Amino acid sequence: MKMQNDIQTLSLPVLGMTCAACANSVESMIGAQQGVEKAEVNYATQTVKVSYHPEQVQPTAFQKAVQSIGYDLIMDTESGKKKQEEVQQKNYSSLKKRMIASGILTLPVVAIGMFFMDIQYANYYMLALTTPVLFIFGKSFFVNALKQARHGRANMDTLVALSTGIAYFFSLFNTLYPEFWHQRGLHPHVYYEAAAVVIVFIMLGKLLEERAKSNTSSAIKKLIGLQPKTVLIIAENGEKEIPLSDISIGDKILVRSGEKIPVDGEIYEGTSYVDESMISGEPVAVSKNIGDQVFAGTINQKGSFRFVAQKVGGETMLAQIIKMVQDAQGSKAPVQKLVDKIAGIFVPIVIGIALLTLVIWILVGGENALTQGMLAMVTVLVIACPCALGLATPTAIMVGVGKGAENGILIKDAEALELGHKVNAVVLDKTGTLTKGKPEVTELNWQNVTDIDKQKLIGILFALEQQSEHPLAEAIVRHLQTGNVNPVKVTGFESLTGKGVQATFEGQRYWAGSHKILKDSGIEIEGNLEKSVTRLQEQAKTVIYFTDENKVLATIAIADQVKEGSARAVSELLKRNIVVYMLTGDNGQTAAAVAKQVGIKDFRAEVLPSDKADFVKELQSQGKIVAMIGDGINDSHALAQADVSIAMGKGSDIAIDVAKITLVSSDLLQVPKALRLSKLTVRTVRQNLFWAFIYNLIGIPIAAGILYPLNGFLLNPMIAGAAMALSSVSVVSNSLRLKFSKLI
């Protein structure tokens, strides 16, 4: 909770929202309360953010307001999200059971209605089976419709309740009093199967949506999990273990090898290498000495040190990253699905047309006007039932998500598919996205060394690097292990901070490290060797020298190599008129080399996580639809901010959780495929909506009796039910066509 002057801001989880219209209802009900300055409902995160005057209104009033229209708020600000997840999971399980039970009862109703209408007591069998489908398993549709009606509102539940309710009670009347119609020369048709099938199909659509909502993101929980629960502080009477929450600024903290750093601070004793990839995204651990800064959530790799706490609690960089991810997720506009927008207008119009049909028939229908009018009204409501409308989006999304999974593209929700085809700017992280994210030896060049000497020297180099704590040493060890290595035993091993390592073998001193080693040893670099080193450095490779007391024996080039498909993927995006940017925490020289290698002209180097998110915001302010592609914790804020977020499958759990799309193979060539899939899926949704409405546009006027004055034709409600079913079949069939589409 935040406070500004006399205004408080509270964020609460919302329960029961199933469409964008629901979000609007919750927002307007809370916004209408006296003392509320502003209410913003985020349908994507299922939360409401309320700014209010506490002296005029209390949060319990918000809960009562939304409860009156069928929704609820979780008032527990501490564990509200957890409770919301539990409720959503419970709702999903309940809905699944109700749908299965409804389906079991509906199958015989359809069979009787379609093929066995002439058996004795057929109507009573269907009545007995349909009643629990509507009023036990489908009760929520009627309850929600009534609550909406009390406040003069209508949503999809309203149309479902009206159409199925009228079809049911009309059929019930015809079952109990068939002679009413017989006396007027008409057959008493029943429409139990239409009512039951509608409930089952709409439940199926809701189940698909509920499943997506129940899988809520655990990114924030995992980020919080980066902090250790207890900390070892150095007190006057020795070392003492205390809870993380008890740390104060100025406390002296001990961090051993392999431990997570609990808070931000400055080292005052010891040296080590710290994995700061969560902040910089770079795979190489950073050397830390006295006076250097360390950050919460980063991992101490080798060595131990002591530091003074400078930022604790919500002030640490990790806490800021957590807050930024939360803010970016919460600032997204509610998902305005096309079907919900149309339904908001469609529902009251259909109800109006049905009532108008009855009135016109009563006024000008002549003999049996009331009878014909009732039939026409029911027919309008049955043919206009939103079954196909309810299936249009979820079926296309379900097939689209399945198609993506087949191609190694995991899609978290419909929003990414809805927006993907509009993307016109792609922002790429470098390390782990364009590159492999792991330093590798690219060249090992020996300098005037015989094959016999080389075998001995490989063993010495292996022994030196095996004992080194430097992260790049691991890359050299891995490379040497792939060949024929005969390790030797060296003596007098010593690590030279910031320079390299040295040791003795058979009375001769050997060194491995940076160019500083050469300076200290007084070794000159020959012209050809200098040219070779310059060439490697221009390619953004780190050069390690291996020397004895007199000369350079070998140079080792190490680099984070570009993935094979990166250049082609960038080329594919550029062909589609998508602007491609690269952002990295690495230095300018490395960034320029990688950008040139993959064909990216616009790049930024030495950027922090917040800089990446700000860059995405800047592009969005220019009207661009931005896709962010990354793999690290440091990318999570920018991923949350982007319109479409894509994570590498081999990246961090945090990035994968925040992103709406994950590429299992971490192959950038999947990105153009994902954007193509979005285009195909959105096109399928639009086609589905066309088929869902074409029946209504043609069928509703015919159902209302527009042809009756011309040729005496009045649409039978049974035919209307069949047309409604046909619209559903066409929608599902069209969605299944997506399975056979090509993504390249």
Side-chain angles (χ1 to χ4, degrees), residues 17 20 23-24 27 40-47 327-337 341 413 415-416 418-419 620 640-643 660:
M17 294 194 298
N24 292 335
E27 194 171 281
E40 288 179 315
V41 172
N42 188 315
Y43 178 64
T45 57
Q46 299 280 297
T47 56
D327 289 347
Q329 286 181 329
S331 66
K332 284 185 183 290
V335 179
Q336 296 292 327
K337 290 195 173 112
K341 292 179 182 177
D413 66 11
E415 189 180 10
E418 287 174 4
L419 280 174
Q620 288 171 327
Q641 178 63 43
D643 300 293
K660 297 295 175 66

PDB file of all heavy atoms in Angstrom, residues 17 20 23-24 27 40-47 327-337 341 413 415-416 418-419 620 640-643 660:
ATOM      1  N   MET A  17     -13.640 -12.844 -12.723  1.00  0.00           N
ATOM      2  CA  MET A  17     -13.673 -12.162 -14.018  1.00  0.00           C
ATOM      3  C   MET A  17     -13.397 -13.172 -15.141  1.00  0.00           C
ATOM      4  O   MET A  17     -12.428 -13.917 -15.078  1.00  0.00           O
ATOM      5  CB  MET A  17     -12.647 -11.036 -14.078  1.00  0.00           C
ATOM      6  CG  MET A  17     -12.921  -9.882 -13.148  1.00  0.00           C
ATOM      7  SD  MET A  17     -11.925  -8.420 -13.538  1.00  0.00           S
ATOM      8  CE  MET A  17     -10.270  -9.040 -13.287  1.00  0.00           C
ATOM      9  N   ALA A  20     -13.403  -9.187 -20.728  1.00  0.00           N
ATOM     10  CA  ALA A  20     -13.068  -7.773 -20.565  1.00  0.00           C
ATOM     11  C   ALA A  20     -14.272  -6.974 -20.075  1.00  0.00           C
ATOM     12  O   ALA A  20     -14.123  -5.968 -19.372  1.00  0.00           O
ATOM     13  CB  ALA A  20     -12.559  -7.205 -21.882  1.00  0.00           C
ATOM     14  N   ALA A  23     -14.219  -6.995 -16.415  1.00  0.00           N
ATOM     15  CA  ALA A  23     -13.238  -6.040 -15.885  1.00  0.00           C
ATOM     16  C   ALA A  23     -13.830  -4.633 -15.853  1.00  0.00           C
ATOM     17  O   ALA A  23     -13.654  -3.890 -14.883  1.00  0.00           O
ATOM     18  CB  ALA A  23     -11.971  -6.062 -16.738  1.00  0.00           C
ATOM     19  N   ASN A  24     -14.560  -4.277 -16.905  1.00  0.00           N
ATOM     20  CA  ASN A  24     -15.192  -2.953 -16.961  1.00  0.00           C
ATOM     21  C   ASN A  24     -16.241  -2.795 -15.865  1.00  0.00           C
ATOM     22  O   ASN A  24     -16.373  -1.726 -15.258  1.00  0.00           O
ATOM     23  CB  ASN A  24     -15.840  -2.731 -18.335  1.00  0.00           C
ATOM     24  CG  ASN A  24     -14.807  -2.608 -19.437  1.00  0.00           C
ATOM     25  OD1 ASN A  24     -13.670  -2.235 -19.180  1.00  0.00           O
ATOM     26  ND2 ASN A  24     -15.187  -2.941 -20.657  1.00  0.00           N
ATOM     27  N   GLU A  27     -14.472  -2.353 -12.487  1.00  0.00           N
ATOM     28  CA  GLU A  27     -13.853  -1.025 -12.459  1.00  0.00           C
ATOM     29  C   GLU A  27     -14.888   0.070 -12.200  1.00  0.00           C
ATOM     30  O   GLU A  27     -14.683   0.963 -11.380  1.00  0.00           O
ATOM     31  CB  GLU A  27     -13.146  -0.782 -13.794  1.00  0.00           C
ATOM     32  CG  GLU A  27     -12.201   0.399 -13.788  1.00  0.00           C
ATOM     33  CD  GLU A  27     -11.374   0.453 -15.055  1.00  0.00           C
ATOM     34  OE1 GLU A  27     -10.395  -0.304 -15.168  1.00  0.00           O
ATOM     35  OE2 GLU A  27     -11.710   1.256 -15.938  1.00  0.00           O
ATOM     36  N   GLU A  40      -8.472   1.087 -11.408  1.00  0.00           N
ATOM     37  CA  GLU A  40      -7.961   0.501 -12.655  1.00  0.00           C
ATOM     38  C   GLU A  40      -7.915  -1.012 -12.511  1.00  0.00           C
ATOM     39  O   GLU A  40      -7.200  -1.535 -11.665  1.00  0.00           O
ATOM     40  CB  GLU A  40      -6.550   1.006 -12.969  1.00  0.00           C
ATOM     41  CG  GLU A  40      -6.498   2.451 -13.414  1.00  0.00           C
ATOM     42  CD  GLU A  40      -5.065   2.891 -13.687  1.00  0.00           C
ATOM     43  OE1 GLU A  40      -4.183   2.586 -12.865  1.00  0.00           O
ATOM     44  OE2 GLU A  40      -4.844   3.519 -14.720  1.00  0.00           O
ATOM     45  N   VAL A  41      -8.683  -1.705 -13.354  1.00  0.00           N
ATOM     46  CA  VAL A  41      -8.672  -3.160 -13.330  1.00  0.00           C
ATOM     47  C   VAL A  41      -7.744  -3.663 -14.429  1.00  0.00           C
ATOM     48  O   VAL A  41      -7.845  -3.237 -15.578  1.00  0.00           O
ATOM     49  CB  VAL A  41     -10.090  -3.744 -13.530  1.00  0.00           C
ATOM     50  CG1 VAL A  41     -10.016  -5.256 -13.699  1.00  0.00           C
ATOM     51  CG2 VAL A  41     -10.966  -3.405 -12.335  1.00  0.00           C
ATOM     52  N   ASN A  42      -6.838  -4.554 -14.060  1.00  0.00           N
ATOM     53  CA  ASN A  42      -5.956  -5.187 -15.034  1.00  0.00           C
ATOM     54  C   ASN A  42      -6.442  -6.612 -15.229  1.00  0.00           C
ATOM     55  O   ASN A  42      -6.247  -7.470 -14.371  1.00  0.00           O
ATOM     56  CB  ASN A  42      -4.510  -5.170 -14.521  1.00  0.00           C
ATOM     57  CG  ASN A  42      -3.533  -5.630 -15.574  1.00  0.00           C
ATOM     58  OD1 ASN A  42      -3.757  -6.619 -16.265  1.00  0.00           O
ATOM     59  ND2 ASN A  42      -2.433  -4.908 -15.701  1.00  0.00           N
ATOM     60  N   TYR A  43      -7.092  -6.845 -16.381  1.00  0.00           N
ATOM     61  CA  TYR A  43      -7.654  -8.177 -16.638  1.00  0.00           C
ATOM     62  C   TYR A  43      -6.555  -9.222 -16.771  1.00  0.00           C
ATOM     63  O   TYR A  43      -6.720 -10.370 -16.371  1.00  0.00           O
ATOM     64  CB  TYR A  43      -8.514  -8.138 -17.902  1.00  0.00           C
ATOM     65  CG  TYR A  43      -9.109  -9.471 -18.276  1.00  0.00           C
ATOM     66  CD1 TYR A  43     -10.028 -10.096 -17.432  1.00  0.00           C
ATOM     67  CD2 TYR A  43      -8.738 -10.121 -19.442  1.00  0.00           C
ATOM     68  CE1 TYR A  43     -10.569 -11.329 -17.757  1.00  0.00           C
ATOM     69  CE2 TYR A  43      -9.274 -11.356 -19.776  1.00  0.00           C
ATOM     70  CZ  TYR A  43     -10.192 -11.954 -18.936  1.00  0.00           C
ATOM     71  OH  TYR A  43     -10.718 -13.184 -19.248  1.00  0.00           O
ATOM     72  N   ALA A  44      -5.403  -8.810 -17.323  1.00  0.00           N
ATOM     73  CA  ALA A  44      -4.293  -9.751 -17.533  1.00  0.00           C
ATOM     74  C   ALA A  44      -3.777 -10.310 -16.214  1.00  0.00           C
ATOM     75  O   ALA A  44      -3.493 -11.502 -16.099  1.00  0.00           O
ATOM     76  CB  ALA A  44      -3.167  -9.082 -18.296  1.00  0.00           C
ATOM     77  N   THR A  45      -3.641  -9.444 -15.197  1.00  0.00           N
ATOM     78  CA  THR A  45      -3.114  -9.900 -13.905  1.00  0.00           C
ATOM     79  C   THR A  45      -4.224 -10.155 -12.885  1.00  0.00           C
ATOM     80  O   THR A  45      -3.930 -10.531 -11.749  1.00  0.00           O
ATOM     81  CB  THR A  45      -2.135  -8.860 -13.321  1.00  0.00           C
ATOM     82  OG1 THR A  45      -2.801  -7.596 -13.202  1.00  0.00           O
ATOM     83  CG2 THR A  45      -0.929  -8.690 -14.231  1.00  0.00           C
ATOM     84  N   GLN A  46      -5.493  -9.939 -13.287  1.00  0.00           N
ATOM     85  CA  GLN A  46      -6.653 -10.176 -12.412  1.00  0.00           C
ATOM     86  C   GLN A  46      -6.545  -9.392 -11.108  1.00  0.00           C
ATOM     87  O   GLN A  46      -6.774  -9.921 -10.020  1.00  0.00           O
ATOM     88  CB  GLN A  46      -6.783 -11.682 -12.114  1.00  0.00           C
ATOM     89  CG  GLN A  46      -6.999 -12.546 -13.341  1.00  0.00           C
ATOM     90  CD  GLN A  46      -8.440 -12.557 -13.827  1.00  0.00           C
ATOM     91  OE1 GLN A  46      -9.339 -12.997 -13.128  1.00  0.00           O
ATOM     92  NE2 GLN A  46      -8.667 -12.049 -15.024  1.00  0.00           N
ATOM     93  N   THR A  47      -6.172  -8.111 -11.228  1.00  0.00           N
ATOM     94  CA  THR A  47      -6.063  -7.254 -10.048  1.00  0.00           C
ATOM     95  C   THR A  47      -6.734  -5.914 -10.301  1.00  0.00           C
ATOM     96  O   THR A  47      -6.940  -5.518 -11.450  1.00  0.00           O
ATOM     97  CB  THR A  47      -4.585  -6.989  -9.676  1.00  0.00           C
ATOM     98  OG1 THR A  47      -3.912  -6.426 -10.812  1.00  0.00           O
ATOM     99  CG2 THR A  47      -3.876  -8.249  -9.244  1.00  0.00           C
ATOM    100  N   ASP A 327       5.699  -3.674 -11.542  1.00  0.00           N
ATOM    101  CA  ASP A 327       5.092  -2.462 -12.119  1.00  0.00           C
ATOM    102  C   ASP A 327       4.818  -2.632 -13.603  1.00  0.00           C
ATOM    103  O   ASP A 327       3.765  -2.234 -14.109  1.00  0.00           O
ATOM    104  CB  ASP A 327       5.998  -1.245 -11.897  1.00  0.00           C
ATOM    105  CG  ASP A 327       6.031  -0.812 -10.446  1.00  0.00           C
ATOM    106  OD1 ASP A 327       5.172  -1.297  -9.677  1.00  0.00           O
ATOM    107  OD2 ASP A 327       6.902   0.004 -10.079  1.00  0.00           O
ATOM    108  N   ALA A 328       5.785  -3.226 -14.326  1.00  0.00           N
ATOM    109  CA  ALA A 328       5.617  -3.391 -15.765  1.00  0.00           C
ATOM    110  C   ALA A 328       4.490  -4.369 -16.074  1.00  0.00           C
ATOM    111  O   ALA A 328       3.699  -4.148 -16.988  1.00  0.00           O
ATOM    112  CB  ALA A 328       6.923  -3.872 -16.392  1.00  0.00           C
ATOM    113  N   GLN A 329       4.387  -5.443 -15.275  1.00  0.00           N
ATOM    114  CA  GLN A 329       3.292  -6.394 -15.483  1.00  0.00           C
ATOM    115  C   GLN A 329       1.948  -5.741 -15.175  1.00  0.00           C
ATOM    116  O   GLN A 329       0.971  -5.914 -15.890  1.00  0.00           O
ATOM    117  CB  GLN A 329       3.473  -7.630 -14.586  1.00  0.00           C
ATOM    118  CG  GLN A 329       4.568  -8.564 -15.069  1.00  0.00           C
ATOM    119  CD  GLN A 329       4.704  -9.785 -14.186  1.00  0.00           C
ATOM    120  OE1 GLN A 329       4.443  -9.724 -12.978  1.00  0.00           O
ATOM    121  NE2 GLN A 329       5.114 -10.890 -14.762  1.00  0.00           N
ATOM    122  N   GLY A 330       1.913  -4.956 -14.121  1.00  0.00           N
ATOM    123  CA  GLY A 330       0.663  -4.328 -13.702  1.00  0.00           C
ATOM    124  C   GLY A 330       0.225  -3.176 -14.575  1.00  0.00           C
ATOM    125  O   GLY A 330      -0.940  -2.802 -14.584  1.00  0.00           O
ATOM    126  N   SER A 331       1.164  -2.580 -15.341  1.00  0.00           N
ATOM    127  CA  SER A 331       0.815  -1.410 -16.135  1.00  0.00           C
ATOM    128  C   SER A 331       0.207  -1.762 -17.490  1.00  0.00           C
ATOM    129  O   SER A 331      -0.224  -0.906 -18.221  1.00  0.00           O
ATOM    130  CB  SER A 331       2.060  -0.540 -16.371  1.00  0.00           C
ATOM    131  OG  SER A 331       2.989  -1.231 -17.178  1.00  0.00           O
ATOM    132  N   LYS A 332       0.193  -3.066 -17.812  1.00  0.00           N
ATOM    133  CA  LYS A 332      -0.389  -3.465 -19.093  1.00  0.00           C
ATOM    134  C   LYS A 332      -1.889  -3.206 -19.096  1.00  0.00           C
ATOM    135  O   LYS A 332      -2.563  -3.412 -18.106  1.00  0.00           O
ATOM    136  CB  LYS A 332      -0.142  -4.959 -19.349  1.00  0.00           C
ATOM    137  CG  LYS A 332       1.277  -5.275 -19.779  1.00  0.00           C
ATOM    138  CD  LYS A 332       1.388  -6.742 -20.125  1.00  0.00           C
ATOM    139  CE  LYS A 332       2.809  -7.112 -20.490  1.00  0.00           C
ATOM    140  NZ  LYS A 332       3.206  -6.536 -21.765  1.00  0.00           N
ATOM    141  N   ALA A 333      -2.392  -2.780 -20.260  1.00  0.00           N
ATOM    142  CA  ALA A 333      -3.840  -2.568 -20.390  1.00  0.00           C
ATOM    143  C   ALA A 333      -4.550  -3.915 -20.324  1.00  0.00           C
ATOM    144  O   ALA A 333      -3.972  -4.939 -20.680  1.00  0.00           O
ATOM    145  CB  ALA A 333      -4.137  -1.883 -21.713  1.00  0.00           C
ATOM    146  N   PRO A 334      -5.824  -3.949 -19.891  1.00  0.00           N
ATOM    147  CA  PRO A 334      -6.560  -5.220 -19.876  1.00  0.00           C
ATOM    148  C   PRO A 334      -6.642  -5.818 -21.279  1.00  0.00           C
ATOM    149  O   PRO A 334      -6.694  -5.108 -22.264  1.00  0.00           O
ATOM    150  CB  PRO A 334      -7.958  -4.815 -19.374  1.00  0.00           C
ATOM    151  CG  PRO A 334      -7.749  -3.528 -18.659  1.00  0.00           C
ATOM    152  CD  PRO A 334      -6.606  -2.846 -19.335  1.00  0.00           C
ATOM    153  N   VAL A 335      -6.654  -7.142 -21.321  1.00  0.00           N
ATOM    154  CA  VAL A 335      -6.756  -7.811 -22.626  1.00  0.00           C
ATOM    155  C   VAL A 335      -8.157  -7.570 -23.186  1.00  0.00           C
ATOM    156  O   VAL A 335      -9.133  -8.062 -22.654  1.00  0.00           O
ATOM    157  CB  VAL A 335      -6.512  -9.328 -22.468  1.00  0.00           C
ATOM    158  CG1 VAL A 335      -6.630 -10.015 -23.811  1.00  0.00           C
ATOM    159  CG2 VAL A 335      -5.175  -9.584 -21.841  1.00  0.00           C
ATOM    160  N   GLN A 336      -8.215  -6.761 -24.255  1.00  0.00           N
ATOM    161  CA  GLN A 336      -9.507  -6.438 -24.859  1.00  0.00           C
ATOM    162  C   GLN A 336      -9.756  -7.378 -26.030  1.00  0.00           C
ATOM    163  O   GLN A 336      -9.494  -7.047 -27.175  1.00  0.00           O
ATOM    164  CB  GLN A 336      -9.510  -4.969 -25.330  1.00  0.00           C
ATOM    165  CG  GLN A 336      -9.365  -3.971 -24.213  1.00  0.00           C
ATOM    166  CD  GLN A 336     -10.580  -3.948 -23.313  1.00  0.00           C
ATOM    167  OE1 GLN A 336     -11.690  -4.159 -23.747  1.00  0.00           O
ATOM    168  NE2 GLN A 336     -10.368  -3.710 -22.043  1.00  0.00           N
ATOM    169  N   LYS A 337     -10.215  -8.572 -25.742  1.00  0.00           N
ATOM    170  CA  LYS A 337     -10.460  -9.534 -26.808  1.00  0.00           C
ATOM    171  C   LYS A 337     -11.622  -9.056 -27.667  1.00  0.00           C
ATOM    172  O   LYS A 337     -12.633  -8.542 -27.174  1.00  0.00           O
ATOM    173  CB  LYS A 337     -10.772 -10.903 -26.220  1.00  0.00           C
ATOM    174  CG  LYS A 337      -9.564 -11.540 -25.580  1.00  0.00           C
ATOM    175  CD  LYS A 337      -9.804 -13.010 -25.331  1.00  0.00           C
ATOM    176  CE  LYS A 337      -8.530 -13.661 -24.852  1.00  0.00           C
ATOM    177  NZ  LYS A 337      -8.555 -14.114 -23.502  1.00  0.00           N
ATOM    178  N   LYS A 341     -15.615  -7.334 -26.901  1.00  0.00           N
ATOM    179  CA  LYS A 341     -16.082  -6.026 -27.375  1.00  0.00           C
ATOM    180  C   LYS A 341     -17.389  -6.181 -28.135  1.00  0.00           C
ATOM    181  O   LYS A 341     -18.341  -5.424 -27.941  1.00  0.00           O
ATOM    182  CB  LYS A 341     -15.029  -5.389 -28.285  1.00  0.00           C
ATOM    183  CG  LYS A 341     -13.745  -4.969 -27.575  1.00  0.00           C
ATOM    184  CD  LYS A 341     -12.779  -4.368 -28.582  1.00  0.00           C
ATOM    185  CE  LYS A 341     -11.469  -3.975 -27.908  1.00  0.00           C
ATOM    186  NZ  LYS A 341     -10.490  -3.458 -28.872  1.00  0.00           N
ATOM    187  N   ASP A 413       0.019 -17.241 -23.225  1.00  0.00           N
ATOM    188  CA  ASP A 413      -1.373 -16.796 -23.264  1.00  0.00           C
ATOM    189  C   ASP A 413      -1.723 -16.163 -24.605  1.00  0.00           C
ATOM    190  O   ASP A 413      -0.878 -15.981 -25.475  1.00  0.00           O
ATOM    191  CB  ASP A 413      -1.694 -15.831 -22.109  1.00  0.00           C
ATOM    192  CG  ASP A 413      -0.935 -14.518 -22.218  1.00  0.00           C
ATOM    193  OD1 ASP A 413      -0.325 -14.263 -23.274  1.00  0.00           O
ATOM    194  OD2 ASP A 413      -0.944 -13.745 -21.249  1.00  0.00           O
ATOM    195  N   GLU A 415      -2.624 -13.180 -25.371  1.00  0.00           N
ATOM    196  CA  GLU A 415      -2.208 -11.800 -25.635  1.00  0.00           C
ATOM    197  C   GLU A 415      -1.012 -11.745 -26.581  1.00  0.00           C
ATOM    198  O   GLU A 415      -0.956 -10.913 -27.488  1.00  0.00           O
ATOM    199  CB  GLU A 415      -1.876 -11.087 -24.328  1.00  0.00           C
ATOM    200  CG  GLU A 415      -1.645  -9.598 -24.511  1.00  0.00           C
ATOM    201  CD  GLU A 415      -1.323  -8.904 -23.203  1.00  0.00           C
ATOM    202  OE1 GLU A 415      -1.097  -9.593 -22.193  1.00  0.00           O
ATOM    203  OE2 GLU A 415      -1.295  -7.674 -23.198  1.00  0.00           O
ATOM    204  N   ALA A 416      -0.049 -12.668 -26.371  1.00  0.00           N
ATOM    205  CA  ALA A 416       1.134 -12.685 -27.230  1.00  0.00           C
ATOM    206  C   ALA A 416       0.762 -13.024 -28.665  1.00  0.00           C
ATOM    207  O   ALA A 416       1.291 -12.440 -29.625  1.00  0.00           O
ATOM    208  CB  ALA A 416       2.145 -13.703 -26.697  1.00  0.00           C
ATOM    209  N   GLU A 418      -2.175 -12.454 -30.034  1.00  0.00           N
ATOM    210  CA  GLU A 418      -2.965 -11.347 -30.584  1.00  0.00           C
ATOM    211  C   GLU A 418      -2.080 -10.213 -31.085  1.00  0.00           C
ATOM    212  O   GLU A 418      -2.386  -9.555 -32.067  1.00  0.00           O
ATOM    213  CB  GLU A 418      -3.923 -10.800 -29.517  1.00  0.00           C
ATOM    214  CG  GLU A 418      -5.086 -11.730 -29.222  1.00  0.00           C
ATOM    215  CD  GLU A 418      -5.934 -11.230 -28.068  1.00  0.00           C
ATOM    216  OE1 GLU A 418      -5.664 -10.124 -27.560  1.00  0.00           O
ATOM    217  OE2 GLU A 418      -6.850 -11.950 -27.670  1.00  0.00           O
ATOM    218  N   LEU A 419      -0.972  -9.976 -30.386  1.00  0.00           N
ATOM    219  CA  LEU A 419      -0.121  -8.824 -30.712  1.00  0.00           C
ATOM    220  C   LEU A 419       1.047  -9.149 -31.634  1.00  0.00           C
ATOM    221  O   LEU A 419       1.573  -8.270 -32.309  1.00  0.00           O
ATOM    222  CB  LEU A 419       0.435  -8.215 -29.413  1.00  0.00           C
ATOM    223  CG  LEU A 419      -0.498  -7.296 -28.631  1.00  0.00           C
ATOM    224  CD1 LEU A 419       0.158  -6.898 -27.321  1.00  0.00           C
ATOM    225  CD2 LEU A 419      -0.852  -6.051 -29.426  1.00  0.00           C
ATOM    226  N   GLN A 620       8.065   2.239 -27.562  1.00  0.00           N
ATOM    227  CA  GLN A 620       6.598   2.202 -27.461  1.00  0.00           C
ATOM    228  C   GLN A 620       6.000   3.598 -27.540  1.00  0.00           C
ATOM    229  O   GLN A 620       4.937   3.801 -28.133  1.00  0.00           O
ATOM    230  CB  GLN A 620       6.182   1.517 -26.150  1.00  0.00           C
ATOM    231  CG  GLN A 620       6.431   0.021 -26.155  1.00  0.00           C
ATOM    232  CD  GLN A 620       6.235  -0.621 -24.793  1.00  0.00           C
ATOM    233  OE1 GLN A 620       6.500   0.003 -23.763  1.00  0.00           O
ATOM    234  NE2 GLN A 620       5.796  -1.858 -24.769  1.00  0.00           N
ATOM    235  N   ALA A 640       8.974  -7.837 -19.297  1.00  0.00           N
ATOM    236  CA  ALA A 640       7.658  -7.502 -18.735  1.00  0.00           C
ATOM    237  C   ALA A 640       7.091  -6.235 -19.364  1.00  0.00           C
ATOM    238  O   ALA A 640       5.877  -6.089 -19.515  1.00  0.00           O
ATOM    239  CB  ALA A 640       7.761  -7.335 -17.221  1.00  0.00           C
ATOM    240  N   GLN A 641       7.970  -5.305 -19.743  1.00  0.00           N
ATOM    241  CA  GLN A 641       7.539  -4.028 -20.326  1.00  0.00           C
ATOM    242  C   GLN A 641       7.102  -4.180 -21.780  1.00  0.00           C
ATOM    243  O   GLN A 641       6.200  -3.468 -22.243  1.00  0.00           O
ATOM    244  CB  GLN A 641       8.689  -3.016 -20.248  1.00  0.00           C
ATOM    245  CG  GLN A 641       8.386  -1.647 -20.858  1.00  0.00           C
ATOM    246  CD  GLN A 641       7.258  -0.939 -20.136  1.00  0.00           C
ATOM    247  OE1 GLN A 641       7.193  -0.941 -18.914  1.00  0.00           O
ATOM    248  NE2 GLN A 641       6.350  -0.346 -20.888  1.00  0.00           N
ATOM    249  N   ALA A 642       7.705  -5.099 -22.518  1.00  0.00           N
ATOM    250  CA  ALA A 642       7.461  -5.224 -23.960  1.00  0.00           C
ATOM    251  C   ALA A 642       6.038  -5.671 -24.262  1.00  0.00           C
ATOM    252  O   ALA A 642       5.362  -6.273 -23.428  1.00  0.00           O
ATOM    253  CB  ALA A 642       8.460  -6.206 -24.561  1.00  0.00           C
ATOM    254  N   ASP A 643       5.585  -5.358 -25.482  1.00  0.00           N
ATOM    255  CA  ASP A 643       4.255  -5.794 -25.927  1.00  0.00           C
ATOM    256  C   ASP A 643       4.233  -7.308 -26.113  1.00  0.00           C
ATOM    257  O   ASP A 643       3.278  -7.976 -25.751  1.00  0.00           O
ATOM    258  CB  ASP A 643       3.889  -5.100 -27.241  1.00  0.00           C
ATOM    259  CG  ASP A 643       3.857  -3.590 -27.102  1.00  0.00           C
ATOM    260  OD1 ASP A 643       2.976  -3.091 -26.387  1.00  0.00           O
ATOM    261  OD2 ASP A 643       4.719  -2.907 -27.683  1.00  0.00           O
ATOM    262  N   LYS A 660       5.986 -14.099 -22.398  1.00  0.00           N
ATOM    263  CA  LYS A 660       4.735 -14.710 -22.850  1.00  0.00           C
ATOM    264  C   LYS A 660       4.997 -15.857 -23.832  1.00  0.00           C
ATOM    265  O   LYS A 660       4.139 -16.681 -24.080  1.00  0.00           O
ATOM    266  CB  LYS A 660       3.856 -13.650 -23.520  1.00  0.00           C
ATOM    267  CG  LYS A 660       3.423 -12.519 -22.588  1.00  0.00           C
ATOM    268  CD  LYS A 660       2.522 -13.034 -21.489  1.00  0.00           C
ATOM    269  CE  LYS A 660       2.167 -11.962 -20.486  1.00  0.00           C
ATOM    270  NZ  LYS A 660       1.343 -10.893 -21.028  1.00  0.00           N
TER     271      LYS A 660
END
